Each structure stands twice: as structure tokens, then as C-alpha cells.
Amino acid sequence: MIRTNPELVAYTEKLFQQGSHNIHEEAFGAKHKIMEQDHRYRKVYLIREGIAKCYISDENGKEFIQEFLGEGMEFGELEVFSNKLTICSVESITPLKVFSVSHDGFHQLLKTDPHFNMLILKALADKIRYKAPRHSYQHAYPIEDNILRLKKLFPELTEVIPKKDIANYIGVTTRSLNRALKELKEKSGA
């Protein structure tokens, strides 16, 4: 549900403490759009603290949430490799503390630091590996099953993430989500 990568953030923290590679600290308040779809940015970000959502908006403004990003998750790295406009928007859900590095600095790290390079390759592979099972599960099972699965992975789901975002993540309307949550509550007798 909320993707994390403790190994990558710990290693980046070590690089930051060494003062190398022009890695900077930045902070964003909740509900701050850090990247906007179809724009060009020159930084890669790595979350130190907080939660953000990565999403695509269609022409009608409907959001499809790709994933929720937590500690250690990077964003903006695909644009380093493709040199194209951003695919997704990224917006903070909670206040965020991030590391940022320019595209040039990121390239330099990839070339000169084999351990960092392997961590990034692993992170990219994990992003790909995670998507297919998530999408197939969401399409194969009813809303209630998806909610139960998410709550098992992230018990404080509805306390931290807005219902609209949860609905967009599992591909349903907020109304359908509320109905399913009500039915689950009634079934559990709570």
C-alpha cells in the first residue's frame, strides 16, 4: 500500500552526511504538488519522512493513483533516464522531508557509486514488480476484499489517507468506497 525503501534512504542519508554529490534537504507541507504531470523538472527526490501520492490525471481531471510513496521512495528518476516530461504528478499527503539531487548529480552518483546504482536498479525493479499483482488483484476481487487487504497492510489506512485517494487507488468512486466501508463495519458488528 505505502511503498517504502529503508535501505535506499539509509544509504542516501549516509551520502548526505558526507556532504558529497550535492544532495540537499527540502521540506513540503501537506497537499503540496511537488511535480505535475507533463512538465519538466531537473531534480530527483527521495522521501525521508512522510507520505506522498503518485498519480496520473485524465483529461476530465479524474486521478488514478499509481502508488503511495513513503520513506525511501524516489520520484523523478524516470525522467533522468528518458529526458522526457513527467508521467505522473506527485503530491504530499502529509508533511514531507526529502532529499533532492539534480539530474546531473544523480547521473554522477549512478556512474561513480556502484552501491547507489544497484539500489536504484533494485528500486526500479520493485516498482515494476509491484504494479502487476496489485492491478490484477484489484480487478479480480470485490471492493470489500481490496479494502480488507489494504487495511491488513496498513491498519490506519482511513485515518491517514483521504477516502477520495483510497477510492482512486483501488479504482472506484468515493461513494462506492463509503458503501463498502459501511457494509464491512456492519458485518464486523462495530
Side-chain angles (χ1 to χ4, degrees), residues 125-141:
D126 285 346
K127 279 185 177 183
I128 294 166
R129 184 181 312 111
Y130 174 73
K131 284 203 184 350
R134 178 178 82 91
H135 292 299
S136 65
Y137 189 91
Q138 286 175 342
H139 291 290
Y141 292 92

Side-chain angles (χ1 to χ4, degrees), residues 1-2 130 147-156 169:
M1 160 99 229
I2 296 178
Y130 174 73
I147 294 167
L148 291 172
R149 183 172 183 238
L150 292 175
K151 283 193 164 230
K152 184 177 180 183
L153 294 170
F154 188 60
E156 60 274 8
Y169 181 73

Side-chain angles (χ1 to χ4, degrees), residues 52-64:
K53 63 180 178 177
C54 175
Y55 63 95
I56 295 174
S57 297
D58 68 14
E59 59 277 351
N60 297 321
K62 184 168 171 61
E63 293 178 2
F64 173 73

Side-chain angles (χ1 to χ4, degrees), residues 7-23:
E7 189 178 7
L8 180 57
V9 76
Y11 191 73
T12 306
E13 179 78 43
K14 182 177 148 187
L15 293 174
F16 175 73
Q17 295 301 331
Q18 292 171 354
S20 58
H21 302 288
N22 275 335
I23 298 171

Side-chain angles (χ1 to χ4, degrees), residues 62-116:
K62 184 168 171 61
E63 293 178 2
F64 173 73
I65 296 180
Q66 293 285 321
E67 58 189 331
F68 292 103
L69 308 170
E71 179 185 319
M73 294 303 293
E74 76 287 351
F75 57 94
E77 80 285 4
L78 295 179
E79 293 73 20
V80 169
F81 301 114
S82 68
N83 199 28
K84 294 186 178 175
L85 301 178
T86 57
I87 298 167
C88 299
S89 294
V90 176
E91 183 178 323
S92 57
I93 292 176
T94 65
L96 278 186
K97 291 183 181 176
V98 299
F99 290 119
S100 65
V101 62
S102 70
H103 282 195
D104 290 340
F106 191 75
H107 271 291
Q108 192 63 27
L109 265 168
L110 293 173
K111 288 178 186 175
T112 62
D113 190 325
H115 186 67
F116 182 81

